[in-house]
Amino acid sequence: MTAERKTRWQTTCAPLSRARSRDPKLAQHPINPNAASRKAQSPLHTLRLSADIDGITRAATLLRDGALVAFPTETVYGLGADATSGTAVANVYAAKGRPAFNPLIVHVASITEAKRYALWSDAADRLATLWPGPLTLVLPQAAASPLASLTTAGLNSVALRIPAHPVARALLATFGGPLAAPSANLSGRISPTTAAHVTDGLTGRINAILDGGACTVGLESTIIGLTDPDGSATLLRPGGLPQNMIEDVLDAALKTPDQTNITAPGQLASHYAPNASLRLNAAEVDPGETLLGFGQAPNATLNLSPSANLSEAAANLFDHLHQLDATGAARIAVSPIPEHGLGQAINDRLRRAAAPRG
Ligand code: TXA
Ligand code: MG
């Protein structure tokens, strides 16, 4: 597991450096995940691409290079990133100014591809007949899934969707892999249903916008949870596909989640929590503790980012917590992480992981 995750991290880092060397626009405005949150940093040049073959090919190339591209789906515009690249996904959070890491929906081109990332079931088979469309299925993640852990916020499950919009489908086919895409708006703002909405919110923060006109559904996808061992299906988020259509296909009523403890999406009880107890802002390691470092931390067992790069730290966060858990560590001390840019989301996640458990 450790070796596999390390390899994944190394491979996911590569697109960024390739991006700088191959694309003059990116070389000029390197994809700096912290840039979006640092006022002094010059903004990215955001390309406006038409939804023709040239635009889609350009968008796919940018995505392969680790860039962020907003694209139309039938529900709302998504902010797409290579779902196997922890750094690209970290950039999504930075661009949106999200103060917390939520698991993202992974957009795929086909059911065959969906099966590479998830454990399939009879219920999934039935619901997949409603694809392509405004429906997202949350399934147990496949053991050999190549998705970055930040994409799923370290969960063992994964949210999958095949969008129906022809431009989204052409982009997925040309890109040839999974695209993580939350709605393409600044955190806390309304979801965008035109390219102009995306421009208003994200110009200067993302690499390109693929303009495919107005979204026809205009409401986010319906999310159905299929992770219950008893095979039941749960309505996690009402959306563009009506509940009765889903129940007809399943020939069963949907459950609704017990939401009494959920006050915001980022507080989903299902977020990954390590077995070990956590002590944050640890200047020193106490006896019996394992150090999860950030920046200079010679005693660290693992380091989120030896060079104190917040994007690298975000990309490593869930992997490193999993790895330290796997060592059987009982107490993890975490080096201080600055409370700006992605540091806010990293600290938010760490505070939740450190909170007393009931
Ligand atoms: O229509 C849509 O769904 C749009 C387009 C772009 O596809 N996307 C979208 O993404 O609305 P976002 O990030 O705004 O919402 C994703 C939702 C979040 O509420 C997140 O908590 C949930 O999906 N989600 C993702 N993975 C999950 C998982 N493994 N378990 C439970 N919920 C999950
Ligand atoms: Mg959203």
Side-chain angles (χ1 to χ4, degrees), residues 76 96 98 182-185 189 191-192 220 237:
V76 299
K96 281 181 66 90
R98 258 197 188 178
S183 48
N185 52 281
R189 301 288 172 80
S191 291
E220 289 92 343
R237 179 178 76 180

Side-chain angles (χ1 to χ4, degrees), residues 49 66 100 110 112 161 172 203-204 208 211 221 234 239 284 299 306 318-319 347:
L49 302 171
S110 66
T112 310
R161 170 158 117 82
L172 284 163
T203 294
D211 185 350
S221 60
T234 304
E284 300 191 344
N299 298 328
F318 295 108
D319 272 346
N347 283 322

